[in-house]
Each structure stands twice: as C-alpha cells, then as structure tokens.
C-alpha cells in the first residue's frame, strides 16, 4: 500500500459548466473552494472547465485557482416545450419515431379524426403510448395536438443530443491531454448530469462512449470521481416540471456518469441538494492511499491496446474500486 499524501497527489478539478443552468452554480463553486482549501500544501491541482471556461495545469498555487473558479458560470441552454415533456417521454417518443414516417402519419391522422380516445379504437403500436399520455395530459381537445408534440420532440431531441456530445467531447479531450501529465491523477468531475437514452433507438444516444472513455482514462493513468449535483431539487411540487424528479428521469441523467466513473476506477457521488461539500471531502480521503496490484503480461498483451481487468476479494462487506481497463505499452522496435 502506498501513501500518496506523503509525496503529494495530483488532482484535476473538471467542471462541466455546460450541464448547469445560469445561476445554479454558486453552491457548487463554494464547495469547490472548500475542496481547494482541504488539500495538502504539496498536492497539485489543475482546473479544466468545459465546454468553455478557465483552465490551468496542475500547480501547488491555490490563489489563482480560487480566482478562476469565481469566473465559472452555468452555460446550459434549457429547451422549453409547451407540453412539459419529461426526459423519459422524449426518449420514448424518439424510439417510437424509428418505426418509420408512414406509421407516424397514420397515427396523426387517426388522432386528428378521432381524438385521444382513438387509443382504444385503433390498434396502435405500444411505443406510441407516451404520445397519447401527453395528449391526454396537455391538450386533449386539440385535433393536431399529437403532431405538435412530435414536432417539439423532433426539435428538442437533437439539441439534447448535441449537449450530451459537447459534454462528453470536452471530458474526452481532458482525459487525452492528461496522458502527457506524469504520474497518477485523480479527476474530480463536477456535473449536473448527462441525459442519455436508456432504450434502443431513443435519443440522446452516445453509444459505448462510457467504455471507450474509461479506456482513455486508463491510458492517462487517471481515476475519475464524479460529483453529480441534482439541480432539479429547486422545482416546486406544484409545478408540472416536478415530473423531472421521477426515478427514471433521474436515472437517465446519472446513469452514464455512473458507468463511466466505474470504468475509470472511481465512483459517482450523488448530491441531491446543495453544492456537495461532503462529496468533495470524500475524494481526498479515498485518494490518501492505494494498493498496487501487479499483473504479469505475456508477449501477446504488449500491444498498447486496452484490456478489461476485474478485481475481486474474498472478504465480505468490502467495496473495491479499481480501474476496469488496463493498457500494457507496446514493445518498441529495439526490444
């Protein structure tokens, strides 16, 4: 077991300000300031705010980092729908649209002529049930209600996918750049969540990026701890938008971060309210020491490609955090 605190650790504070709405970051910044103050004098800390914002290489100087944090603001653009669509409804409807334009037009014709009661009069695919639910909830007396709802979905879904792609692209760029920073690194990722579909053909869809970016973290010798701030808690119970707090919606916003953090050897720490000071405090404790596990590779493993690694212990009640991917450097031509 190695005591990393004795030699000084390297932390990267990565903030996805594109996931936060304007005015929602003050508690997060205050918690991050406390995190900076909690580090040992010989710990190095870098800052990376993305998609846009201040950035700094790892340093033991604290004052410039504290000053830079004060400039960080939320840049998320919130897409509004007059039909109060939940993330799960957008995902379900985009999955349904994959059945083809003719099916969609047939449904709209049925609804326009018979109204929402058509769900019992026509044999509609089960995937269209979310459309009918929103029709009943939002505009049961409008003949073209379904068409307008689907137009909203068609406009919002690509924008949500663009937001997800921007967030993951910024994080991927950071991980690739860390390959040039020597030694072990602990990335403290601060995010309000990344909305990713939980079903086939739904959007936003980012494919297998959690696994691929976990491999990138392995190449960079970096472990990722994610502090996910739930910014939906301020929505009042009297608002229709309180539906955003339903379990499936919350899961879709956090699942990708959970999968990626585990693949990168860390964990996701969910913060239901506030700025998450308790979550920031957990990272220095967990990185104060670590155990090194040696694995002897054979010649076929020395190709520079990522390989999955699973670590298990026989002791009950123990939680193991380890990287799921390992990269054995390829042999040089001189070897």
């Amino acid at each position: 077991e190695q005591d990393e605190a004795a030699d000084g650790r390297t932390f990267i504070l990565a903030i996805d300000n594109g996931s936060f709405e304007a005015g929602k970051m003050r508690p997060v910044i205050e918690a991050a300031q406390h995190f900076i103050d909690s580090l040992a004098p010989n710990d190095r800390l870098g800052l990376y705010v993305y998609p846009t914002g201040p950035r700094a290489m790892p340093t033991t100087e604290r004052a410039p980092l504290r000053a830079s944090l004060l400039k960080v603001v939320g840049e998320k653009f919130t897409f509004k729908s007059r039909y109060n669509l939940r993330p799960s409804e957008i995902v379900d409807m985009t999955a349904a649209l994959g059945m083809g334009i003719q099916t969609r037009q047939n449904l709209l014709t049925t609804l326009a002529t018979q109204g929402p009661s058509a769900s019992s009069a026509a044999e509609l695919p089960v995937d269209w049930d979310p459309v009918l639910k929103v029709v009943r909830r939002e505009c049961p007396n409008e003949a073209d209600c379904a068409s307008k709802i689907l137009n909203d979905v068609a406009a919002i879904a690509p924008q949500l996918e663009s937001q997800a792609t921007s967030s993951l692209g910024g994080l991927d760029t950071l991980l690739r750049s860390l390959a040039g920073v020597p030694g072990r690194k602990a990335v403290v990722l601060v995010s309000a969540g990344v909305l990713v579909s939980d079903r086939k053909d739904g959007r936003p869809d980012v494919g297998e990026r959690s696994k691929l970016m976990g491999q990138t973290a392995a190449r960079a010798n970096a472990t990722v701890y994610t502090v996910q701030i739930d910014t939906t808690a301020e929505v009042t119970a009297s608002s229709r938008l309180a539906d955003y707090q339903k379990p499936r919606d919350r899961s879709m916003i956090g699942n990708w971060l959970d999968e990626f953090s585990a693949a990168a050897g860390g964990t996701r720490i969910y913060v239901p309210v506030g700025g998450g000071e308790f979550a920031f405090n957990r990272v220095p404790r967990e990185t104060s020491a670590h155990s090194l596990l040696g694995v002897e590779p054979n010649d076929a493993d020395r190709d520079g490609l990522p390989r999955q690694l699973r670590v298990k212990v026989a002791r009950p009640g123990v939680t193991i955090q380890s990287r799921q991917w390992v990269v054995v450097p390829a042999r040089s031509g001189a070897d």
Side-chain angles (χ1 to χ4, degrees):
E1 185 170 290
Q2 294 193 354
D3 182 1
E4 292 212 359
D7 300 324
R9 298 161 293 182
T10 299
F11 294 96
I12 307 295
L13 180 58
I15 301 177
D16 181 7
N17 64 333
S19 67
F20 289 90
E21 296 177 11
K24 295 287 185 74
M25 295 205 66
R26 182 175 178 180
V28 180
I29 298 303
E30 290 176 352
Q33 299 275 21
H34 287 299
F35 169 70
I36 292 177
D37 294 339
S38 72
L39 298 179
N42 58 342
D43 286 335
R44 297 165 294 278
L45 177 65
L47 178 65
Y48 185 88
V49 181
Y50 66 96
T52 61
R55 298 172 185 180
M57 292 293 291
T59 176
T60 56
E61 296 292 327
R62 305 293 188 246
L65 298 177
R66 290 178 59 87
S68 293
L69 275 180
L70 296 176
K71 303 175 184 177
V72 179
V73 295
E75 296 183 354
K76 180 179 180 179
F77 181 78
T78 304
F79 302 95
K80 301 294 185 181
S81 166
R82 60 169 289 196
Y83 303 106
N84 300 295
L85 295 171
R86 300 202 313 266
S88 56
E89 291 171 335
I90 293 173
V91 166
D92 289 341
M93 289 186 212
T94 53
L97 289 175
M99 294 186 299
I101 190 67
Q102 188 60 54
T103 304
R104 178 188 182 200
Q105 293 300 331
N106 289 343
L107 172 67
L108 299 184
T109 300
T110 301
L111 288 174
T113 56
Q114 301 181 35
S117 61
S119 59
S120 60
E123 294 184 2
L124 298 176
V126 67
D127 274 348
W128 285 108
D129 189 52
V131 181
L132 300 177
K133 286 181 179 178
V134 178
V135 168
R136 297 186 188 103
R137 184 184 73 213
E138 301 290 339
C139 44
N141 299 317
E142 295 181 23
D144 59 349
C145 177
S147 179
K148 292 179 178 178
I149 289 171
L150 290 176
N151 285 339
D152 267 17
V153 172
I156 293 173
Q159 301 297 332
L160 293 176
E161 198 159 85
S162 177
Q163 280 190 344
T165 300
S166 177
S167 289
L168 304 190
L171 181 57
D172 187 61
T173 298
L174 167 64
L175 294 174
R176 292 179 186 279
S177 69
L178 289 180
V181 178
R184 291 173 56 90
K185 283 82 64 176
V187 176
V188 184
L189 169 61
V190 184
S191 172
V194 179
L195 177 62
V196 174
S197 172
D198 62 351
R199 55 177 294 181
K200 183 180 179 181
D201 297 328
R203 298 176 70 179
D205 179 22
V206 297
E208 294 188 332
R209 291 197 69 170
S210 59
K211 179 181 76 172
L212 297 176
M213 289 173 63
Q215 296 172 2
T216 302
R219 292 189 180 95
N221 196 12
T223 300
V224 179
Y225 295 86
T226 299
V227 178
Q228 185 199 340
I229 309 295
D230 189 345
T231 59
T232 67
E234 297 178 14
V235 179
T236 62
S238 61
S239 169
R240 282 179 173 178
L241 293 181
D243 284 342
Y244 274 90
Q245 299 183 46
K246 291 192 173 182
R248 185 183 168 205
D249 298 315
R250 183 182 296 117
S251 294
M252 281 194 297
I253 292 172
N255 278 349
W256 189 90
L257 293 172
D258 201 25
E259 294 172 3
F260 163 67
S261 301
T267 188
R268 175 181 66 106
I269 309 171
Y270 174 66
V271 180
V273 293
E277 188 171 344
F278 76 92
F280 283 100
N281 291 339
R282 177 175 161 180
V283 177
R285 292 198 304 270
E286 293 197 4
T287 56
S288 61
H290 70 276
S291 297
L292 288 178
L293 176 65
V295 179
E296 176 123 11
N298 57 39
D299 288 341
D301 294 326
R302 300 181 184 277
D303 54 11
L305 299 177
R307 283 178 168 76
Q308 196 161 21
L309 183 68
R310 292 184 175 89
V311 179
K312 298 181 181 180
V313 295
R315 185 184 304 174
V318 175
T319 299
I320 297 294
Q321 285 181 196
S322 63
R323 291 195 196 129
Q324 295 182 5
W325 298 94
V326 62
V327 177
V328 180
R331 288 186 181 276
S332 65
D335 291 341

